[in-house]
């Protein structure tokens, strides 16, 4: 029997034919609708310096940074589009209308480049793409800027996307590993504008966590309370920004022991904990990343408090290790030393030495944060994982303990408890500033905060 190889589905149009008379009617009598004059992007003042830093790393070479393409969700429905982070960082353009666009840094002499934006401009009303193109037509997906408007928005020279194919080859960030690494490394240190955007993301996320606590009575009563929590936070994220910066983890009870629990389809039990790992992404695409583990009854039980206190002590040790010049891995090692000693004190481990504690806390204790939740992941290890911290970097510190419900190395009362505490921090000249400090972390403060919100 011959193997059958599935192919990508073809979209079938069910549109009725358009007669010449209707086409002429559709192309006539449209009022001018220019965008307002003050449409310059907020990031347009900082993107030239970013492009200049990239240009200096590749003298004389043509650099192509694509925004990315639409991806089919099902049949003729696409996923929401989000531009590639490097493209957004270099252009300031963050909208869903950027699919297929590309920034090209064209060599302009041996030591500089001209930045040119290749985009799909607004369709004229005389073009049937306006009403027939379901992916890009303005009738279907909304207004795009024309070339002149795009130039006013970005400060870049803008040309039609159709001209991109005529360019000679160059380094393409989608396929060139060195260019992708350099772009990630250039983003490791945030400028003041980026820090402000990240703080805005944190502030919106704080409001989202408050929304969740207020909604706990409804969530506890619903058979899929985790989904209720996800929805409540998602409402805040869409109302205040672009949406969530990553899939929300709303993990009740033993689901908190699954590191990336995003099914969020379980009920909530007032006797258990809720681990909520969530972040709002701003309209400029910077995301927060915060985790709190909350007692659904409003009060930690003694054993829940025991686990929470150990994780909090580990986080405090990790935060204390943050300073310019420290190795990136130092804060993780400091946190894990506390975890290992605590597990040994409980009798779970025979000794804090070695790496046996990793059975109960498998992942790392933090990562860089910015346009991506796991920011700058393409950076080389020498610049990131094996590098040193610098003033202006933003990162998370997020130790956790994940005591699996079927782990027979644990006493029964500890099984099924998962705790993670995660905060966002800015490396400063003196150490680190807690950007997410508006959300309580100590068990007493968490209980008081929850009581105040639910009583109100």
């Amino acid at each position: 029997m011959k193997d059958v190889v599935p192919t990508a589905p073809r979209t079938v149009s069910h549109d009725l034919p358009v007669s010449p008379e209707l086409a002429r009617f559709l192309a006539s009598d449209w009022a001018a609708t220019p965008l307002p004059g003050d449409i310059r992007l907020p990031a347009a003042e900082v993107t030239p310096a970013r492009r200049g830093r990239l240009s200096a790393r590749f003298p004389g070479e043509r650099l192509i940074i694509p925004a990315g393409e639409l991806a089919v969700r099902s049949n003729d429905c696409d996923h929401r589009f989000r531009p590639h982070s490097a493209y957004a960082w270099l252009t300031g353009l963050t909208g869903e209308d950027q699919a297929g666009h590309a920034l090209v840094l064209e060599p302009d002499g041996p030591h500089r480049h001209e930045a040119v934006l290749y985009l799909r401009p607004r369709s004229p009303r005389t073009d049937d793409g306006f009403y027939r193109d379901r992916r890009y037509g303005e009738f279907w997906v909304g207004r795009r800027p024309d070339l002149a408007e795009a130039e006013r928005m970005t400060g870049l020279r803008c040309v039609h996307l159709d001209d991109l194919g005529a360019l000679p080859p160059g380094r393409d960030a989608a396929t060139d590993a060195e260019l992708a690494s350099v772009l990630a490394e250039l983003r490791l240190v945030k400028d003041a504008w980026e820090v402000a955007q990240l703080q805005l993301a944190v502030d919106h996320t704080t409001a989202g966590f408050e929304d969740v606590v207020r909604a706990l009575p409804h969530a506890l009563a619903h058979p899929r309370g985790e989904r209720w929590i996800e929805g409540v936070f998602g409402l805040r994220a869409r109302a205040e920004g672009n949406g969530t910066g990553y899939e929300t983890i709303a993990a009740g009870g033993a689901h908190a022991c699954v590191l990336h629990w995003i099914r969020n389809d379980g009920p909530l039990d007032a006797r258990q904990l809720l681990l909520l790992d969530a972040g709002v992404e701003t309209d400029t695409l910077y995301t927060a990343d915060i985790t709190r583990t909350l007692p659904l009854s409003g009060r930690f039980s003694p054993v829940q408090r025991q686990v929470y206190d150990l994780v909090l002590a580990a986080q405090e040790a990790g935060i204390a290790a943050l300073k310019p010049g420290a190795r990136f891995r130092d804060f993780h090692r400091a946190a894990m030393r506390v975890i290992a000693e605590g597990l040994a004190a409980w009798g779970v481990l025979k000794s804090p030495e070695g790496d046996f504690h990793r059975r109960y806390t498998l992942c790392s204790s933090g990562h860089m944060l910015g346009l991506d939740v796991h920011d700058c992941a393409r950076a080389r290890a020498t610049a990131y994982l094996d590098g040193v911290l610098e003033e202006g970097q933003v990162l998370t510190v997020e130790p956790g303990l994940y005591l699996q419900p079927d782990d027979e190395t644990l006493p029964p009362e500890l099984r099924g408890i998962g705790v993670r505490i995660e905060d966002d921090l800015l490396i400063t000249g003196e150490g680190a500033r807690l950007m997410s400090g508006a959300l309580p972390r100590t068990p007493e403060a968490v209980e008081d905060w929850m009581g105040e919100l639910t009583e109100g």
Side-chain angles (χ1 to χ4, degrees), residues 232-287:
V232 167
F233 188 86
L235 173 60
R236 175 67 66 171
R238 284 293 284 170
E240 304 290 1
N242 188 53
T244 55
Y246 53 95
E247 293 294 332
T248 296
I249 298 170
H255 288 166
C257 300
V258 181
L259 295 176
H260 287 170
W261 177 261
I262 59 172
R263 297 180 205 172
N264 301 339
D265 59 358
L268 300 178
D269 185 329
R271 297 167 297 179
Q272 297 177 335
L273 300 171
L274 168 70
L275 189 156
L276 177 62
D277 186 335
V280 173
E281 179 179 84
T282 63
D283 290 329
T284 57
L285 305 187
Y286 288 84
T287 185

Side-chain angles (χ1 to χ4, degrees), residues 163 273 324 353 373 398 425:
D163 295 339
L273 300 171
E353 303 308 319
V373 64
E398 53 169 322
L425 297 108

